[in-house]
Amino acid sequence: MEQINDFYNIALMHDIGKLSIPDRILNKPERLNDEEYEIMKTHAANGAELLKDVNIMEDLAVGAGCHHERMDGKGYPNGLKGEEIPLAARIVSLADVYDALRHRRVYKAPWTLEDTLNEIQSQAGKQFDPELVEAFMQIKDRLEVINEAIS
């Protein structure tokens, strides 16, 4: 139970590095240009830097710093691959994408649950840990209830 609590708190703090991103980029309703995207990508490393000396739980800075790493090594900021990516970051990555797809953003409408699950499944082994995707799909019947409860 303590580990679940830690993952929850890591998830709450994972995007703290966005404090360093200008509002004009964070709130831009159109696709980011290359320069803006490079600036946006710094939020992961900036978040890890902000949290590096916060010792209230293990992996807090790791969750912020590695949540955009990908299983195929094509993520950022360090190009980590597979199990080089800490478990906390792999979990936060999956939850973050689920949340981003299911909710309205300034640049997109919310996706349906079915489209979101299809996208997550298509990224197993590429973006996401396949074992985590499998576990996630086992709770898919509860996702709509959870989604409504936190909205």
Side-chain angles (χ1 to χ4, degrees):
M1 185 64 169
E2 184 178 331
Q3 189 176 31
I4 292 172
N5 233 9
D6 285 352
F7 288 147
Y8 173 78
N9 288 314
I10 292 166
L12 288 176
M13 300 296 290
H14 81 279
D15 268 343
I16 194 167
K18 285 186 176 178
L19 291 171
S20 67
I21 306 299
D23 285 346
R24 68 177 171 76
I25 294 174
L26 283 177
N27 299 320
K28 185 176 179 182
E30 303 93 27
R31 185 176 185 87
L32 300 179
N33 64 38
D34 291 345
E35 180 184 344
E36 292 165 333
Y37 183 60
E38 289 303 314
I39 292 168
M40 178 63 89
K41 286 177 17 179
T42 66
H43 84 276
N46 293 344
E49 181 64 25
L50 281 169
L51 297 171
K52 72 178 184 187
D53 296 323
V54 178
N55 297 316
I56 57 174
M57 74 185 71
E58 192 175 335
D59 291 334
L60 190 59
V62 166
C66 297
H67 73 280
H68 284 290
E69 299 290 356
R70 293 173 46 110
M71 293 301 286
D72 60 12
K74 296 179 181 176
Y76 63 88
N78 300 310
L80 300 179
K81 184 177 185 176
E83 300 218 353
E84 293 173 354
I85 306 165
L87 178 60
R90 286 182 272 151
I91 291 170
V92 168
S93 174
L94 181 60
D96 186 36
V97 169
Y98 173 80
D99 180 65
L101 294 177
R102 290 292 289 139
H103 291 92
R104 179 170 304 285
R105 298 291 190 250
V106 294
Y107 53 86
K108 68 156 206 65
W111 287 27
T112 65
L113 179 60
E114 181 180 355
D115 288 345
T116 300
L117 294 175
N118 287 338
E119 177 64 17
I120 288 171
Q121 283 183 304
S122 78
Q123 293 301 311
K126 299 173 195 168
Q127 184 173 0
F128 306 120
D129 181 328
E131 290 180 28
L132 292 179
V133 171
E134 185 178 323
F136 191 76
M137 292 303 150
Q138 290 178 14
I139 64 162
K140 69 182 178 187
D141 295 336
R142 292 182 259 163
L143 290 174
E144 198 61 36
V145 173
I146 293 167
N147 195 55
E148 288 178 20
I150 60 175
S151 294

